[in-house]
């Protein structure tokens, strides 16, 4: 501990005293007043400290050099400066420990040093990390890794500056050392829609009959209810049995007509209802819409006045390629087959216009020029387990 005290004092003002009290070191002013505490581990090594006292004005010092000198004494492995934050009176510098083979910063390993403008160290915190690096010797070549990423990354059509452009999906964020692509979530599977022979209007699919009245139609909002309800309630108290809202961004339909548990529709029957509704309310061909999944609505098990529903998801495509941000979600009641909710994103004008986008593998390689792969440590689910991954970053 005596050696630790001597090592620490060279970074503190001369008048600061360091005294030992059990397993803790305390910092005192020349008058014996407490001005900080030093944490040490069971081996007597420094964990961190914090000095709180008035210090002289700015002196002739280089904060980075002082931080590196501090690291050389207390954590020699942490030699790489990876971050500097400046304030009115001090500089906080983060130094990282790097692995000996790839010279990459090890997560949660290093130290933070606060250097006052006077040249004294006023705070420090050491972070040592016991870890296991998986498959560190089985590393794919960066060029080959990029080709694998390009081969498996879905392409989207997006709108930028009011023009349609191709872009790579953000879901593909890197490549594992074994060459498998790292996704934030698995790419969406696009399935063709089988159009039914029957064609129904959207009103019938929402349960609107001759007994209903369209009692409100202004500012892109239409409200429907049974005539008896309309005749016997003030307009602001009429239950919205069917509502349609349209604006430049989205189409929204909601239905709450009466229902009974007379029968339960099969999943295929419900899907056909959703497909018919999509065909009835959109201007695009069903061939341009793709089915991307279905699920029971999260609240379907709750018994209340709303009918439990199955949710069917669709996405819009152009020449078989997904258009970013244009999707449809259709809720179908499981006991009536009626549409209970539908949200459809509006198609951007740039996509509806006759824009000819030519896509081929050369275009995909061109997209690859917009990003680069950088090697990095990535944490696994197991505690303190890591692997090397090529991470996708945008070129500046």
């Amino acid at each position: 501990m005596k050696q630790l005290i001597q090592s620490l004092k060279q970074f503190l003002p001369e008048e600061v005293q360091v005294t030992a009290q059990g397993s803790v070191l305390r910092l005192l002013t020349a008058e014996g007043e407490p001005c900080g505490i030093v944490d040490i581990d069971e081996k007597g090594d420094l964990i961190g400290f914090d000095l709180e006292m008035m210090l002289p004005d700015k002196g002739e010092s280089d904060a980075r050099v002082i931080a590196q000198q501090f690291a050389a004494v207390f954590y020699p492995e942490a030699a790489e400066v990876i971050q500097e934050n400046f304030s009115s009176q001090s500089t906080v510098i983060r130094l990282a420990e790097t692995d000996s083979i790839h010279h990459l910063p090890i997560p949660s390993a290093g130290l933070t040093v606060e250097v006052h403008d006077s040249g004294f160290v006023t705070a420090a915190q050491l972070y040592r990390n016991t870890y296991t690096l998986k498959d560190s010797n089985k590393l794919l070549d960066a060029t080959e890794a990029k080709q694998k990423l390009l081969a498996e990354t879905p392409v989207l059509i997006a709108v930028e500056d009011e023009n349609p452009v191709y872009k790579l999906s953000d879901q593909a964020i890197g490549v594992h050392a074994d060459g498998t692509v790292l996704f934030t979530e698995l790419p969406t599977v696009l399935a063709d829609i089988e159009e039914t022979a029957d064609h129904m209007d959207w009103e019938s699919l929402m349960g609107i009959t001759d007994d209903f009245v369209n009692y409100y139609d202004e500012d892109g909002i239409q409200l429907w209810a049974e005539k008896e309800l309309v005749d016997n309630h003030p307009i602001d108290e009429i239950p919205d049995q069917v509502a349609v809202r349209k604006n430049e961004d989205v189409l929204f339909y909601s239905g709450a007509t009466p229902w009974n548990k007379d029968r339960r529709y099969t999943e295929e029957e419900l899907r056909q209802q959703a497909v018919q509704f999509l065909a009835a309310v959109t201007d695009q061909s069903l061939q341009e819409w793709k089915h991307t999944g279905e699920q029971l609505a999260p609240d379907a098990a709750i018994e209340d006045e709303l009918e439990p529903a199955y949710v069917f998801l669709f996405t819009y495509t152009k020449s078989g390629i997904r258009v970013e941000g244009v999707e449809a979600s259709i809720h179908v009641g499981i006991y009536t087959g009626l549409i209970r909710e539908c949200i459809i994103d509006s198609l951007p004008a740039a996509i509806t216009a006759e824009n000819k986008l030519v896509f081929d593998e050369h275009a995909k390689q061109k997209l690859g020029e917009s990003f680069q792969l950088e090697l990095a440590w990535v944490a696994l689910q197991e505690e303190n387990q890591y692997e090397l991954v090529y991470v996708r970053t945008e070129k500046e």
Side-chain angles (χ1 to χ4, degrees), residues 276-323:
Q276 288 199 56
F277 191 78
L278 184 65
V281 298
T282 61
D283 297 328
Q284 300 83 36
S285 165
L286 277 183
Q287 302 303 315
E288 295 176 314
W289 286 94
K290 304 297 178 182
H291 180 219
T292 57
E294 65 277 322
Q295 62 182 2
L296 197 62
D299 58 355
I302 301 175
E303 292 292 341
D304 58 16
E305 68 274 11
L306 298 179
E307 181 185 7
Y310 226 86
V311 184
F312 295 90
L313 304 175
F314 304 90
T315 191
Y316 183 74
T317 66
K318 194 82 168 177
S319 301
I321 299 175
R322 285 186 65 188
V323 176

Side-chain angles (χ1 to χ4, degrees), residues 8 16 76 114 117 124 170 179 189 201 205 210 280 282 295 328 363 392:
L8 186 59
V16 174
E114 182 181 40
D117 290 346
D170 294 332
V189 177
D201 56 71
L205 289 163
D210 293 339
T282 61
Q295 62 182 2
R392 174 178 158 186

Side-chain angles (χ1 to χ4, degrees), residues 102-176:
H102 305 287
H103 307 292
L104 296 172
I106 299 171
S108 304
L111 79 158
T112 300
V113 183
E114 182 181 40
V115 182
H116 190 268
D117 290 346
S118 62
F120 297 112
V121 176
T122 52
Q125 187 68 46
L126 283 70
Y127 310 90
R128 295 186 182 275
N129 185 13
T130 302
Y131 62 86
T132 300
L133 181 60
K134 175 185 174 183
D135 295 333
S136 60
N137 296 321
K138 301 177 181 178
L139 191 60
L140 200 67
D141 176 78
T143 302
E144 185 178 356
K146 189 170 187 177
Q147 292 305 313
K148 286 182 175 290
L149 185 66
L150 281 174
E152 297 189 34
T153 302
V155 174
L156 308 175
I157 298 176
V159 176
E160 296 180 0
D161 298 326
E162 300 185 357
N163 291 308
V165 297
Y166 287 115
K167 62 174 286 189
L168 295 173
S169 169
D170 294 332
Q171 293 175 330
I173 60 174
V175 180
H176 294 279

Side-chain angles (χ1 to χ4, degrees), residues 2-236:
K2 183 177 180 180
Q3 180 61 47
L4 172 63
I5 293 174
Q6 292 301 317
S7 298
L8 186 59
K9 282 183 67 67
Q10 63 181 306
F11 297 100
L12 301 175
E14 185 177 353
E15 65 270 21
V16 174
Q17 305 173 48
V18 185
T19 62
Q21 295 182 3
S23 60
V24 176
L25 298 178
R26 299 193 179 276
L27 304 179
L28 306 175
T29 65
E31 294 77 22
E33 295 294 327
C35 61
I37 193 170
V38 180
D39 293 322
I40 56 177
D41 63 20
E42 57 188 14
K43 297 179 182 179
D45 293 328
L46 180 67
I47 296 176
F49 82 94
D50 190 20
L51 173 67
E52 297 180 358
M53 66 180 298
M54 293 294 294
L55 294 173
D57 294 334
K58 183 175 182 180
E60 297 296 329
S61 61
D62 186 325
R64 178 185 282 250
V65 171
I66 293 172
Q68 290 174 321
Q69 291 172 343
F70 187 91
V73 173
F74 295 103
Y75 198 157
E77 300 88 350
E80 182 179 347
V81 175
I82 60 173
Q83 187 177 7
E84 291 185 70
N85 294 320
F86 303 96
S87 67
S88 59
Q89 292 184 314
S90 63
T91 303
V92 177
I93 298 176
R94 179 89 164 94
L95 298 98
E97 179 182 353
T98 59
D99 71 89
S100 58
I101 299 176
H102 305 287
H103 307 292
L104 296 172
I106 299 171
S108 304
L111 79 158
T112 300
V113 183
E114 182 181 40
V115 182
H116 190 268
D117 290 346
S118 62
F120 297 112
V121 176
T122 52
Q125 187 68 46
L126 283 70
Y127 310 90
R128 295 186 182 275
N129 185 13
T130 302
Y131 62 86
T132 300
L133 181 60
K134 175 185 174 183
D135 295 333
S136 60
N137 296 321
K138 301 177 181 178
L139 191 60
L140 200 67
D141 176 78
T143 302
E144 185 178 356
K146 189 170 187 177
Q147 292 305 313
K148 286 182 175 290
L149 185 66
L150 281 174
E152 297 189 34
T153 302
V155 174
L156 308 175
I157 298 176
V159 176
E160 296 180 0
D161 298 326
E162 300 185 357
N163 291 308
V165 297
Y166 287 115
K167 62 174 286 189
L168 295 173
S169 169
D170 294 332
Q171 293 175 330
I173 60 174
V175 180
H176 294 279
D178 63 2
T180 56
V181 175
L182 175 61
F183 293 98
T184 54
E185 59 181 340
L186 294 178
T188 303
V189 177
L190 306 180
D192 291 336
I193 296 175
E194 295 184 10
E195 190 169 358
T196 62
D198 297 330
H199 294 281
M200 297 177 64
D201 56 71
W202 71 267
E203 292 91 346
S204 299
L205 289 163
M206 295 198 73
I208 296 177
T209 65
D210 293 339
D211 296 330
F212 279 71
V213 175
N214 178 200
Y215 67 91
Y216 185 90
D217 187 357
E218 292 182 20
D219 301 322
I221 300 175
Q222 295 184 44
L223 302 177
W224 302 72
E226 291 171 292
K227 187 176 186 303
E228 182 180 356
L229 292 173
V230 176
D231 291 342
N232 294 289
H233 291 80
I235 190 168
D236 57 348

Side-chain angles (χ1 to χ4, degrees), residues 381-392:
Q381 290 186 342
E382 299 86 352
E383 185 176 4
N384 295 328
Q385 299 281 316
Y386 298 88
E387 67 170 328
L388 289 172
V389 172
Y390 283 106
V391 177
R392 174 178 158 186

